[in-house]
Amino acid sequence: MLRVSFKDLNPEYLKYPTVIFFNPNAQCYQQQVHPPNCFWLKFFVSNNINVMAWNYRDYGRSRGMPDPFTCNHDGEAILQFLIKTLGLKGKFGCFGRSLGGTVATHLAKNYPQHIEFLFVDRSFGNINKMSDSLMLGKYNRKFFDIFSKGWKILSAKNFYEANCFKIVSQ
């Protein structure tokens, strides 16, 4: 359960644009405030852009098991929290680095009525194709499917189909 205190929330920020920050793999949002990871955080904040950073399940103090399905669901819940609970009125964007790009592209594709900007930084397009290049042998796809419990991540397709302004960096 997410608990937030609204007593210190400046109403001026409600109209500012907001970027939802999706962390890379094995990194929690607390690491984003220190060099070299803090570049984008500083950029957004210095340009009066709200930043919503959060941890995937089982990172920091969060609980649960992170997988593509729960990460996508949590990303959707974060967007709804910003709109319904915090009442943010400004434009929304997604910034995803590495693994975070998979959740960012999912949100941008499936919520075009809210997401106006997508920035994907050093992510991957298809986790199944990536497993083919990392694991050798004719049974690699079968092993990947067994160990990943059928994960399907189609970030390149989601990026292409997202109806917003898009940037990709490699």
Side-chain angles (χ1 to χ4, degrees):
M1 178 76 155
L2 185 59
R3 299 193 192 287
V4 176
S5 171
F6 297 103
K7 66 181 180 178
D8 297 324
L9 189 61
N10 180 348
E12 191 69 20
Y13 286 93
L14 296 175
K15 66 180 183 180
Y16 291 167
T18 300
V19 167
I20 305 171
F21 194 98
F22 298 93
N23 298 324
N25 187 40
Q27 202 170 67
C28 56
Y29 76 81
Q30 292 89 336
Q31 293 169 298
Q32 299 305 319
V33 298
H34 303 291
N37 301 314
C38 63
F39 175 81
W40 287 112
L41 179 62
K42 284 182 179 180
F43 173 81
F44 294 136
V45 171
S46 67
N47 285 287
N48 290 325
I49 299 171
N50 299 320
V51 177
M52 176 62 179
W54 57 289
N55 287 331
Y56 302 120
R57 295 176 188 217
D58 204 33
Y59 285 79
R61 292 184 176 176
S62 64
R63 295 188 190 127
M65 191 67 160
D67 64 49
F69 310 110
T70 59
C71 288
N72 288 343
H73 173 77
D74 292 346
E76 293 169 356
I78 292 293
L79 178 62
Q80 295 305 315
F81 170 78
L82 294 172
I83 294 167
K84 292 181 178 175
T85 305
L86 289 184
L88 296 178
K89 307 281 187 228
K91 297 178 179 183
F92 289 94
C94 295
F95 176 90
R97 180 181 292 153
S98 186
L99 179 66
T102 65
V103 187
T105 58
H106 167 81
L107 210 61
K109 178 196 174 245
N110 291 294
Y111 292 88
Q113 70 276 28
H114 298 297
I115 305 299
E116 297 186 34
F117 173 78
L118 173 61
F119 188 153
V120 178
D121 182 17
R122 294 168 281 171
S123 192
F124 48 88
N126 182 321
I127 196 167
N128 304 88
K129 298 273 186 200
M130 189 174 77
S131 73
D132 290 345
S133 67
L134 295 175
M135 298 167 55
L136 302 176
K138 62 182 180 179
Y139 299 109
N140 67 339
R141 178 60 65 94
K142 194 57 113 176
F143 286 129
F144 178 79
D145 287 343
I146 291 169
F147 291 115
S148 71
K149 299 177 185 170
W151 291 357
K152 300 285 185 234
I153 298 176
L154 304 173
S155 299
K157 182 178 185 296
N158 287 342
F159 183 87
Y160 178 77
E161 293 177 359
N163 189 21
C164 62
F165 182 81
K166 299 175 262 194
I167 296 175
V168 65
S169 70
Q170 291 296 349

